[in-house]
Amino acid sequence: FSPNEDGKNDIAYVRGWGIREFVEVKIFNRWGQVVFESNDMAKGWDGTFHGKPQSIDTYAYTIKAIDMEGKDIFVKGYITLLR
């Protein structure tokens, strides 16, 4: 995503279907520090940490949710921040 205030891909949101309950999303920098976390699927990461723009880099994420059948969902991956 590219939080450069051009109105396109400025905020990274969690998206998906079949989710009954969203539990949390966490985004980590390369040192394992949590730079963003939320339990609100409508809230996304704007590429800042403590109000400071973060570097162009690849960040790890984890997502926890519960599906429509009550089963736990755990997803992890990477997101690249570009400016």
Side-chain angles (χ1 to χ4, degrees):
F1 79 111
S2 58
N4 58 5
E5 300 180 20
D6 68 353
K8 299 176 185 172
N9 295 317
D10 287 336
I11 298 177
Y13 292 101
V14 174
R15 296 288 185 243
W17 51 271
I19 297 172
R20 181 177 76 195
E21 181 182 343
F22 181 73
V23 178
E24 72 176 8
V25 58
K26 290 184 180 182
I27 299 177
F28 305 86
N29 64 17
R30 65 174 54 233
W31 299 278
Q33 184 178 27
V34 177
V35 296
F36 176 78
E37 66 181 310
S38 178
N39 61 1
D40 182 353
M41 202 164 153
K43 185 178 177 185
W45 185 41
D46 64 359
T48 64
F49 180 56
H50 292 305
K52 296 179 182 178
Q54 295 301 287
S55 305
I56 293 173
D57 209 342
T58 299
Y59 295 79
Y61 66 81
T62 60
I63 298 169
K64 294 179 184 178
I66 299 171
D67 72 10
M68 299 305 276
E69 297 177 356
K71 296 178 185 175
D72 291 336
I73 300 170
F74 180 75
V75 178
K76 60 183 178 177
Y78 300 95
I79 186 168
T80 302
L81 187 153
L82 303 172
R83 295 217 179 257

